[in-house]
């Protein structure tokens, strides 16, 4: 049967399309993994035609993607690209899109379509309504899927409203909500690490784990994104999505099958079990920070209360994790760039080897480094030669850069686009997961927005955040301890 598959990128001239989506599709084409039946239509207002759109994307892919793009391979790939000049606010634009799709699909016995919403979140609803209004979601000639970029809503209520809009046009099984973190190779490796090895499972619980620390830190400041960032802040930008995704993968139960829904349900169960803090309880369980100089950034509102750093303590009230604190932190202008999950294990029940005064015996830590130095570190205790029973921590390490030297780690969007094409929703976010994630952070967002509550604490750019974030762990007898990038 002859099939045509069209990926319509609404917002097809934007930064995401140039930087990530088109380069990912180009790479899949070069690797021979993009079926010949796949076409791509860019949809945006810019005054372009097919030829100038291809040149625009060539330039964007070369200058923004950070990956090599070869002219000959590009020209072959670019034949798949075409452009519809259109405005989401104008129903006639969707008629023009329908005509273009008809022309592309002409002669195919089956015509499948992906609508990728690569527009600003305020345009998600007009885009969905436009697609629905023009009957483009109807599955008369093949399947229809919609990929929705992040952020999905800005709190639980707005996410629910957006969900209603989406579901008025698409069934949940047609909706692919993106958190590109899940498409990262090393994030998927967390699942393999946990569920393709037997030795970790017996210790992966409250009996052996003292605490879990999840860090996603950036060294950059908000820079020229200040105008956007100031209305968003670190909780919406990082915590509600990326950090809670990592929490789900590290804490979830093994699914009973590789079925995408089984995997998605296990992730949702984690968020369901996260103890909900009220705004008042967050006073003791979260710290917000703002780096020195943030208020002087161009585009930041005077006296802004937007946090550029957040740390929080969560508990997962289930049999596996009852009583184990999960500390999450994320910030900009930090001392190091890393995405890391560190499992801190309990100390041995008995100290057999007395250590000299002031010599701290570090407990076992298993750190999973999602980036930038992808790999795993296991810290264990070792006897220093010829120093009595003096113990020092040592590390067993696995690094992608050495174990898979010469192999490129694929871009997250490459995997996610491939999955959307094949209909594998494992690495996309289900509506109920978004809802739970918002319900966890909403009281903190409310608290931070309340002028009566304290402002975010100042911290020095290039530090590891405000002192109160250290106190959050110290109160429980712990300290932040990062193994990934310990050599930077
Ligand atoms: P962007 O650079 O501002 O691009 C927006 C796109 O929408 C452009 O193609 C723009 O083209 C088009 N557009 C705007 N108004 C339109 C209208 N009325 N009708 C039709 N098209 C319209 O934004 P972006 O950075 O690509 O981000 C897109 C989405 O991806 C956002 O939801 C963002 O949160 C998400 N995202 C982006 C990145 C990234 O790396 N950029 C990463 C993660 C998530 P015209 O002006 O020509 O119409």
């Amino acid at each position: 049967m002859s099939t045509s598959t069209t990926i319509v990128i609404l917002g097809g001239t934007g930064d995401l399309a140039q930087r990530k989506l088109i380069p990912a599709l180009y790479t899949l084409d070069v690797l021979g993994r993009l079926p010949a039946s796949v076409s791509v239509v860019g949809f945006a207002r810019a005054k372009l035609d097919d030829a100038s759109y291809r040149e625009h994307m060539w330039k964007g892919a070369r200058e923004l993607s950070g990956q090599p793009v070869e002219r000959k391979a590009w020209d072959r790939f670019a034949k798949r690209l075409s452009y519809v000049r259109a405005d989401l606010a104008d129903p006639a634009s969707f008629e023009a899109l329908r005509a273009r799709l008809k022309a592309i699909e002409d002669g195919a016995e089956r015509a499948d379509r992906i609508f990728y919403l690569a527009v600003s979140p305020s345009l998600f609803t007009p885009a969905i309504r436009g697609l629905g209004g023009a009957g483009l979601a109807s599955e008369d000639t093949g399947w229809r899927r919609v990929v929705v970029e992040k952020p999905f809503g800005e709190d639980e209520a707005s996410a629910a409203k957006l969900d209603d809009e989406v579901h008025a046009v698409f069934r949940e099984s047609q909706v692919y909500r993106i958190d590109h973190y899940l498409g990262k190779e090393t994030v998927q490796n967390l699942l393999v690490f946990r569920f393709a090895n037997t030795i970790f499972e017996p210790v992966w619980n409250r009996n052996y784990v003292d605490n879990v620390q999840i860090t996603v830190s950036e060294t950059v400041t908000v820079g020229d994104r200040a105008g956007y960032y100031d209305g968003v802040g670190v909780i919406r930008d990082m915590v509600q999505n990326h950090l809670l995704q990592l929490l789900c993968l590290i804490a979830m139960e093994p699914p009973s099958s590789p079925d995408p829904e089984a995997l998605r349900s296990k992730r949702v169960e984690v968020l369901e079990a996260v103890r909900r803090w009220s705004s008042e309880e967050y006073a003791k369980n979260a710290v917000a920070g703002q780096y020195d100089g943030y208020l002087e950034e161009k585009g930041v509102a005077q006296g802004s209360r937007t946090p550029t750093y957040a740390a929080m303590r969560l508990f997962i009230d289930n049999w596996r994790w009852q009583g184990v604190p999960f500390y999450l932190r994320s910030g900009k202008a930090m001392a190091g760039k890393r995405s890391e999950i560190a499992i801190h294990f309990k100390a041995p029940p008995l100290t057999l080897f007395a250590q000299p005064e002031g010599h701290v015996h570090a407990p076992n830590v298993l750190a999973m480094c999602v980036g930038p130095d992808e790999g795993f570190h296991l810290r264990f205790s070792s006897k220093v030669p010829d120093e009595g029973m003096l113990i020092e921590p040592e590390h067993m390490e696995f690094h992608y850069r050495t174990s898979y030297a010469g192999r490129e780690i694929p871009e997250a969007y490459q995997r996610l686009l491939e999955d959307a094409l094949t209909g594998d929703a494992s690495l996309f976010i289900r509506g109920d997961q978004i809802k739970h994630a918002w319900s966890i952070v909403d009281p903190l967002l409310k608290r931070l927005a309340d002028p009566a509550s304290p402002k975010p604490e100042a911290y020095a750019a290039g530090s590891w955040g405000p002192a109160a974030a250290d106190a959050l762990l110290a109160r429980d007898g712990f300290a932040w301890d990062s193994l990934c990038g310990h050599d930077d």
Side-chain angles (χ1 to χ4, degrees):
M1 184 163 63
S2 64
T3 305
S4 154
T5 306
T6 309
I7 304 173
V8 180
I9 306 179
L10 297 110
T13 56
D15 185 68
L16 181 72
Q18 294 184 67
R19 191 186 293 277
K20 299 288 182 191
L21 305 181
I22 295 293
L25 291 166
Y26 162 81
T27 304
L28 288 172
D29 186 49
V30 169
L31 294 173
R33 301 215 307 246
L34 196 63
S37 58
V38 174
S39 309
V40 181
V41 176
F43 176 109
R45 293 168 306 178
K47 206 171 163 188
L48 298 170
D49 57 17
D50 290 350
S52 51
Y53 180 63
R54 289 175 186 145
E55 275 316 288
H56 182 64
M57 299 321 276
W58 154 254
K59 204 161 167 272
R62 273 174 62 95
E63 290 172 9
L64 302 176
S65 72
Q67 70 178 58
V69 186
E70 255 187 52
R71 187 78 226 195
K72 220 166 143 198
W74 173 268
D75 286 343
R76 215 173 35 240
F77 163 72
K79 292 198 182 98
R80 299 174 185 265
L81 304 183
S82 63
Y83 183 72
V84 174
R85 187 180 170 205
D87 189 330
L88 286 168
D90 178 10
S93 292
F94 289 92
E95 291 307 326
L97 175 61
R98 179 216 284 284
R100 176 61 60 93
L101 287 169
K102 232 176 144 214
I104 291 172
E105 293 162 352
D106 188 35
E109 290 165 85
R110 185 190 164 91
D112 302 323
R113 298 172 192 163
I114 291 180
F115 299 104
Y116 196 119
L117 307 194
V119 288
S120 89
S122 62
L123 295 177
F124 290 166
T125 295
I128 294 284
R129 286 183 185 170
L131 292 169
L136 291 168
S138 144
E139 295 194 299
D140 47 353
T141 57
W143 51 252
R144 307 287 179 257
R145 294 178 189 142
V146 62
V147 180
V148 189
E149 259 300 334
K150 83 168 186 99
F152 197 94
E154 54 185 35
D155 53 24
E156 191 178 352
S158 58
K161 212 163 149 228
L162 178 56
D163 238 8
D164 289 345
E165 291 283 353
V166 171
H167 288 151
V169 177
F170 295 98
R171 293 185 312 279
E172 177 61 24
S173 60
Q174 293 174 279
V175 185
Y176 290 65
R177 296 175 195 78
I178 285 235
D179 179 341
H180 71 269
Y181 239 62
L182 280 180
K184 283 178 182 277
E185 192 73 20
T186 42
V187 171
Q188 293 158 53
N189 201 20
L190 296 178
L191 290 175
V192 173
F193 187 83
R194 287 199 55 201
F195 303 133
N197 293 297
T198 48
I199 60 170
F200 304 110
E201 174 57 20
V203 297
W204 213 263
N205 56 51
R206 64 192 299 275
N207 298 326
Y208 291 89
V209 176
D210 225 7
N211 69 93
V212 178
Q213 301 179 10
I214 302 179
T215 300
V216 178
S217 61
E218 299 175 285
T219 50
V220 292
T221 60
V222 290
D224 54 12
R225 286 180 73 226
Y228 158 79
Y229 189 89
D230 199 43
V232 176
V234 69
I235 311 281
R236 292 190 173 97
D237 195 41
M238 287 286 184
V239 178
Q240 184 271 347
N241 38 62
H242 304 330
L243 277 94
L244 290 181
Q245 289 302 340
L246 294 178
L247 176 82
C248 288
L249 294 173
I250 223 61
M252 66 189 268
E253 295 299 319
S256 54
S257 81
D259 176 62
E261 283 317 309
L263 194 66
R264 281 156 43 120
S265 295
K266 291 299 172 193
R267 295 205 301 262
V268 175
E269 280 171 20
V270 173
L271 295 188
E272 277 174 334
V274 168
R275 191 180 306 165
R276 298 306 195 260
W277 297 129
S278 64
S279 290
E280 295 71 38
E281 286 167 323
Y282 263 123
K284 283 202 177 127
N285 290 290
V287 172
Q290 195 180 69
Y291 63 81
D292 287 333
Y294 175 75
L295 293 175
E296 284 80 58
E297 300 270 19
K298 204 166 155 233
V300 169
Q302 205 181 6
S304 168
R305 300 172 61 93
T306 299
T308 61
Y309 173 96
M312 57 207 279
R313 182 175 79 142
L314 295 177
F315 288 98
I316 300 172
D317 288 330
N318 61 18
W319 275 46
R320 187 186 285 269
W321 295 117
Q322 184 61 47
V324 177
F326 285 74
Y327 303 103
L328 279 55
R329 67 173 167 170
S330 181
K332 290 205 175 284
M334 307 274 292
K337 173 179 164 67
R338 67 199 51 161
S339 297
E340 164 179 349
I341 303 161
I343 316 282
H344 288 241
F345 291 94
K346 296 189 178 196
L350 198 63
T351 308
L352 286 180
F353 313 108
Q355 297 298 295
E357 192 145 332
H359 189 86
V360 180
H361 178 182
N364 298 130
V365 175
L366 175 64
M368 293 143 160
C369 312
V370 172
D373 180 14
E374 295 84 357
F376 296 132
H377 295 233
L378 177 64
R379 183 171 77 192
F380 61 101
S381 297
S382 175
K383 180 185 171 310
V384 179
D386 204 23
E387 294 269 1
M389 291 310 259
L390 184 68
I391 295 174
E392 289 285 4
E394 290 297 340
H395 295 246
M396 283 200 275
E397 299 185 17
F398 149 68
H399 295 276
Y400 274 68
R401 65 178 144 84
T402 46
S403 294
Y404 302 119
R407 287 194 72 143
E408 285 291 321
I409 298 183
E411 273 285 335
Y413 279 97
Q414 196 177 306
R415 168 70 192 256
L416 294 171
L417 283 164
E418 229 176 355
D419 284 0
L421 279 166
T422 54
D424 182 344
S426 312
L427 301 177
F428 294 85
I429 320 297
R430 221 165 56 190
D432 50 351
Q433 189 175 358
I434 297 254
K435 173 180 146 37
H436 287 303
W438 280 123
S439 82
I440 291 166
V441 299
D442 262 8
L444 179 57
L445 288 168
K446 271 200 197 93
R447 177 181 169 74
L448 292 169
D450 180 357
S453 67
K455 282 188 170 181
E457 275 192 48
Y459 63 95
S463 73
W464 278 109
D470 295 335
L472 182 73
L473 274 70
R475 230 174 44 209
D476 297 338
F478 304 128
W480 295 107
D481 195 358
S482 172
L483 296 195
C484 303
H486 67 90
D487 49 354
D488 67 355

